[in-house]
Amino acid sequence: MKSFGETIKEIRTARGITQSELAGSLINRTTLSKIENSFEEPSYENATKLIKRLGITQIEFDYIRNDYQFNAKEQIIFDLFNIAYNSEVNKIASLLNRCEQFPNDQEIQKIKVILKAFNASSLREARSLVIPLWKTQVSKTDNWNVLDLYLLNMIFFVFDDDTMIGISNRAIKTIEEKYPFLKSLETNFVLNKAAILMNRQNFDDAAMILVKAITLAKATFRYDKLLMAKGRLAICQKDKKEAHYCLKVLKEIEADDVYNGLKDEIEQFDSRLS
């Protein structure tokens, strides 16, 4: 395993960031040089801030530090985030089995609940699993960490509209204040909030937040999310031609899930586009 300083230097140089740029007002450049050459160890607080300034998560940092290998817990989290559909039953079953290695780990226990919700036979059953977790743990946590944010994004569908709006607002604020490198995840929360507003026929407010989603999607080069945001904005603005153009491009780039989602919404709001 590389030292903390070696890993910082590797990521910094790979991203074309100078020592002065990374150090900023946090520490002086000479101190950063000593850290990178393993002559000095930063405080936990400064170490965390340096990692955030590099635009990566703690898990990504540990992955690079460990010669691009995850430990068992990190691998579970990584694999969870790469489950695309709740129909991937074999992957879900495998993850649940691996979670048994960590019977006393609170984060893994949260993941087990999410996986069981994915396996649920109905929305009602999924809610019965997730809502207690939300009420007893996540909602009462003052500071959501990166895992909390990702998990909330994955189980967003189980909540009622008012709760979803509240989660979106808090998640967006948390990301902007603490995890600005999570712009792609922030885009999800912004898009979800816009969808709720559209369902409530609040098209003016939805349009305003979709402009933000477009900016975020461009910054993260997520063209599928960009087209979804533009398609929803077109619905809000009663622009049928633009909505169908976004749908056409989504089909051409084979973004099937997003394509099907926007197609359903265009059909849902057909009277608005007529």
Side-chain angles (χ1 to χ4, degrees):
M1 178 183 287
K2 304 181 187 79
S3 70
F4 176 87
E6 287 174 324
T7 311
I8 287 287
K9 183 176 182 179
E10 178 182 335
I11 301 169
R12 177 183 63 75
T13 54
R15 298 196 169 204
I17 302 171
T18 67
Q19 286 185 331
S20 297
E21 288 171 338
L22 181 58
S25 59
L26 180 63
I27 55 177
N28 62 52
R29 192 198 63 78
T30 302
T31 300
L32 178 59
S33 179
K34 289 179 180 178
I35 291 170
E36 289 187 345
N37 289 286
S38 301
F39 295 131
E40 188 171 320
E41 288 292 326
S43 66
Y44 175 79
E45 182 180 1
N46 283 347
T48 301
K49 289 180 178 178
L50 286 171
I51 291 170
K52 287 181 181 178
R53 286 185 175 200
L54 289 170
I56 61 173
T57 65
Q58 183 68 52
I59 289 176
E60 289 171 320
F61 180 83
D62 291 339
Y63 175 63
I64 296 169
R65 187 178 183 182
N66 197 38
D67 293 321
Y68 298 89
Q69 296 179 11
F70 286 125
N71 63 36
K73 176 181 174 179
E74 291 165 347
Q75 190 66 55
I76 288 172
I77 295 172
F78 178 81
D79 290 344
L80 172 71
F81 294 157
N82 284 281
I83 290 179
Y85 314 104
N86 59 3
S87 59
E88 295 184 286
V89 292
N90 291 334
K91 290 183 180 179
I92 293 171
S94 173
L95 275 175
L96 277 168
N97 185 54
R98 286 154 57 195
C99 285
E100 297 303 325
Q101 303 172 57
F102 304 93
N104 301 313
D105 188 295
Q106 190 173 22
E107 290 184 330
I108 294 296
Q109 296 313 303
K110 289 180 185 178
I111 290 172
K112 283 180 66 177
V113 172
I114 305 310
L115 291 169
K116 288 178 180 179
F118 281 177
N119 263 349
S121 58
S122 66
L123 180 58
R124 181 177 181 179
E125 183 184 348
R127 282 176 171 160
S128 71
L129 291 164
V130 170
I131 299 301
L133 173 67
W134 164 252
K135 289 182 176 179
T136 60
Q137 294 186 42
V138 184
S139 68
K140 294 183 178 181
T141 302
D142 291 333
N143 297 303
W144 286 345
N145 60 30
V146 173
L147 180 61
D148 289 329
L149 291 164
Y150 272 105
L151 292 181
L152 283 167
N153 179 60
M154 298 182 81
I155 59 174
F156 203 74
F157 67 96
V158 307
F159 298 105
D160 61 84
D161 284 0
D162 288 337
T163 302
M164 285 192 284
I165 289 286
I167 289 173
S168 296
N169 289 337
R170 183 176 166 188
I172 291 165
K173 182 179 180 181
T174 299
I175 291 171
E176 290 179 345
E177 292 180 352
K178 294 183 62 181
Y179 310 111
F181 52 87
L182 294 178
K183 283 186 173 62
S184 183
L185 184 60
E186 183 181 2
T187 310
N188 292 351
F189 284 110
V190 173
L191 283 170
N192 286 333
K193 181 178 178 180
I196 297 165
L197 292 171
M198 290 170 68
N199 285 331
R200 289 181 166 185
Q201 304 294 307
N202 192 344
F203 294 104
D204 289 340
D205 286 347
M208 289 177 62
I209 196 167
L210 283 165
V211 172
K212 180 175 185 174
I214 289 169
T215 300
L216 287 166
K218 285 180 178 178
T220 52
F221 305 100
R222 286 299 304 266
Y223 299 109
D224 53 344
K225 295 179 184 179
L226 175 63
L227 288 161
M228 173 58 88
K230 286 191 170 186
R232 284 180 175 169
L233 182 60
I235 293 171
C236 292
Q237 296 175 338
K238 302 182 181 181
D239 189 339
K240 184 174 183 178
K241 183 178 179 181
E242 174 69 7
H244 281 276
Y245 173 77
C246 292
L247 192 64
K248 174 177 175 288
V249 178
L250 281 168
K251 187 172 185 177
E252 289 174 351
I253 66 174
E254 299 181 356
D256 295 336
D257 291 334
V258 184
Y259 168 83
N260 289 328
L262 182 59
K263 183 173 180 289
D264 288 344
E265 291 182 16
I266 289 174
E267 292 174 357
Q268 177 187 350
F269 296 106
D270 179 66
S271 60
R272 184 174 179 82
L273 294 170
S274 298

